[in-house]
Amino acid sequence: MPVREVDYCAPSLTIFPMKKLRTVIIAILAILLLSWPALINGQAFVFSDSTNYLRAGGAAWKEVFKTGLGSDWAEPVKGAPAAASSVATSGTEESPAPVLGNESLPLNDPEAGLVMAGRSPYLGIAAFLSSAFGEFWPWVFGLGLINYYLITLTLRVVGVEDSRPRLLSAAVIGLVTPAAFYNSTMLADAFCAQGVVGLALWLLASSRLRTIDKVILAALTVFSAMAHLTHILVYFGMLFAFLVFRLCTRGPWRPAIPGILMGLASIVIGLVSVKITSVMIEKTYGNPPVQLPMLTARFCDDGPGARYLKEHPEDTSFLVSRFRDRLPMSSQLFLWNPTPGESVYLSLNQEERLRMCSEDKAFAIKVFCTYPIQQSLAILSNAFKQAGNLDMHIFNYSDAHIEHFRKRLPTEDFQRLETTRAYRSGWAMERFTLLHYVTAILSLATLCFCWFRQDDKISLDDRQLLRGLFLLFVAAILANGLICGAASEPQGRYGARLAWIITLAPLVWLARSRFPIQSRSATKEQEPMLSS
């Protein structure tokens, strides 16, 4: 009887490609779930600040490589008003250039030497290249990919390799948290949460990371620090909280050293990048970037600033004293209201604006020293309001936004923008805001349940790691609230950008409890990072 030959290679040759194909399909589905708002909208969301990043990136690329890649973002704005002199200003959001008296004073016009501080050219170059090579889609799907990678890696460090929790976590985070909206937005905000997750994994699980993962996370945390100054300050808050945890729990320091060094390196590189940017702007445009008088506006809005001006009429050393009769007012109106007889900052000429900017810190210190308790309470109140603010209304364009886009966007970009859902105010953002609040509350409740639940399936080391993730995420949210709320008006944009990390923590915890884990016997087991 003839012996039947068996092709022992056939199963492996068949199964291996199928596994790879399944992994690729799951990754594509996850990326789409994490960037779906841009697909529904018709393109990525752009805001007033987006034009600043894109113009800065286009100008930097053309300056270095002597080519604008055929993109209008690298060219001067058509019909841009000429400035009387070159003055650098800054702000949280660019407003349409107001016409005051007989001269036009644009707030951001690189061609006229007006460059707003805080707009990272490094992030701008990434945004510019995304526009030049794919009408912003590389940016959207790239952020979705990074988001999915961080979800996968966080699950992997606790031993969960199953594809089901990866896709399920991506679906939950993409559909019921603000993450997908910020992945679809041409701003620095998405990188804040991604940098926070990257630094947290470095601090808590560096011995469980592969070399390639360490390299990717290092690049991500550094780029996030270079993307915006507030991200650097959030890192400070995370490191401070981590050091306090270690001192209180008396845990071993040795496994924490790589993460601490990574955090410090990211902060230093971020600060150096800010300095380099300032030097290059001054060299190119003749003026260094100058921060807006945000503290002056904030402290007057809080009350103590306006109170100081009214109770000390003899102090005329600060330019803001000229407006004591108009205060207090909203910090946003203080900075952006162009109405004659009501405006403050925009009513000044260029030299006076520079003076008010230069007096900002001195005025804030004076007010704080005069009313330390009142201002401290106001700062804490603003910080908690900011941390809990998840309002999403900005994703429908206002009339002011549209008018700004009409003046600042290249013709083809504006024509595409006119076809979007945001242009028609077609997003039911009140419902999304409510959904995101409900998700955040349920996430916190689930975390509390997991924290106190006795689960023999989870080892002590993994339980400490999961608790550490949650504590660092909370520290990042509180630091973000303190930074953005104390220096600016509490806004949903700043609070919602970090909301999804609070949902990531319970998802990973539940996945660790419900799904089988991969053995880590062949790898170095991480020493306990936090006390149980």
Side-chain angles (χ1 to χ4, degrees), residues 276-293:
I276 292 175
T277 300
S278 178
V279 171
M280 293 303 296
I281 288 175
E282 184 173 10
K283 180 180 178 181
T284 304
Y285 298 111
N287 300 288
V290 180
Q291 292 291 337
L292 273 176

Side-chain angles (χ1 to χ4, degrees), residues 295-371:
L295 292 175
T296 299
R298 181 69 258 161
F299 282 23
C300 288
D301 188 355
D302 291 336
R307 179 181 174 185
Y308 175 84
L309 294 174
K310 293 181 184 298
E311 293 183 355
H312 298 80
E314 73 284 354
D315 186 356
T316 58
S317 59
F318 298 107
L319 184 59
V320 69
S321 63
R322 182 192 303 178
F323 303 96
R324 57 168 52 94
D325 294 336
R326 300 182 188 179
L327 301 173
M329 68 168 61
S330 161
S331 62
Q332 296 299 298
L333 292 177
F334 185 105
L335 296 172
W336 306 117
N337 185 4
T339 306
E342 299 178 8
S343 63
V344 177
Y345 184 69
L346 293 185
S347 68
L348 303 175
N349 60 39
Q350 293 176 350
E351 290 74 18
E352 290 172 332
R353 290 185 186 181
L354 280 177
R355 177 186 166 186
M356 183 174 284
C357 291
S358 67
E359 295 173 350
D360 186 44
K361 294 179 182 178
F363 178 76
I365 293 173
K366 189 75 171 181
V367 171
F368 188 87
C369 292
T370 306
Y371 310 104

Side-chain angles (χ1 to χ4, degrees), residues 49 92-93 182 187 189 389 391 394 491-497:
D49 255 3
T92 56
E93 228 180 278
Y182 283 90
L187 290 173
D189 293 321
N389 192 339
D391 187 88
I394 64 170
Q491 300 179 37
R493 168 187 161 188
Y494 298 132
R497 67 182 182 176

Side-chain angles (χ1 to χ4, degrees), residues 130-149:
S130 173
S131 170
F133 292 110
E135 298 178 359
F136 305 140
W137 292 111
W139 175 281
V140 172
F141 296 134
L143 285 173
L145 175 61
I146 295 173
N147 219 151
Y148 177 60
Y149 168 75

Side-chain angles (χ1 to χ4, degrees), residues 155-170:
L155 288 166
R156 183 182 298 154
V157 297
V158 295
V160 180
E161 293 280 2
D162 196 303
S163 60
R164 290 172 294 173
R166 295 203 305 267
L167 184 58
L168 178 61
S169 297

Side-chain angles (χ1 to χ4, degrees), residues 53 117-126 139 187-189 191-192 195 218-233 235 262-263 265-278:
Y53 285 112
R119 275 68 194 165
S120 167
Y122 316 102
L123 184 83
I125 288 174
W139 175 281
L187 290 173
D189 293 321
F191 287 102
C192 184
L220 179 61
T221 54
V222 167
F223 185 78
S224 176
M226 296 170 63
H228 205 276
L229 180 61
T230 59
H231 304 178
I232 300 174
L233 300 177
Y235 286 179
M262 185 66 248
S266 299
I267 289 171
V268 170
I269 294 173
L271 293 175
V272 170
S273 73
V274 172
K275 182 62 177 178
I276 292 175
T277 300
S278 178

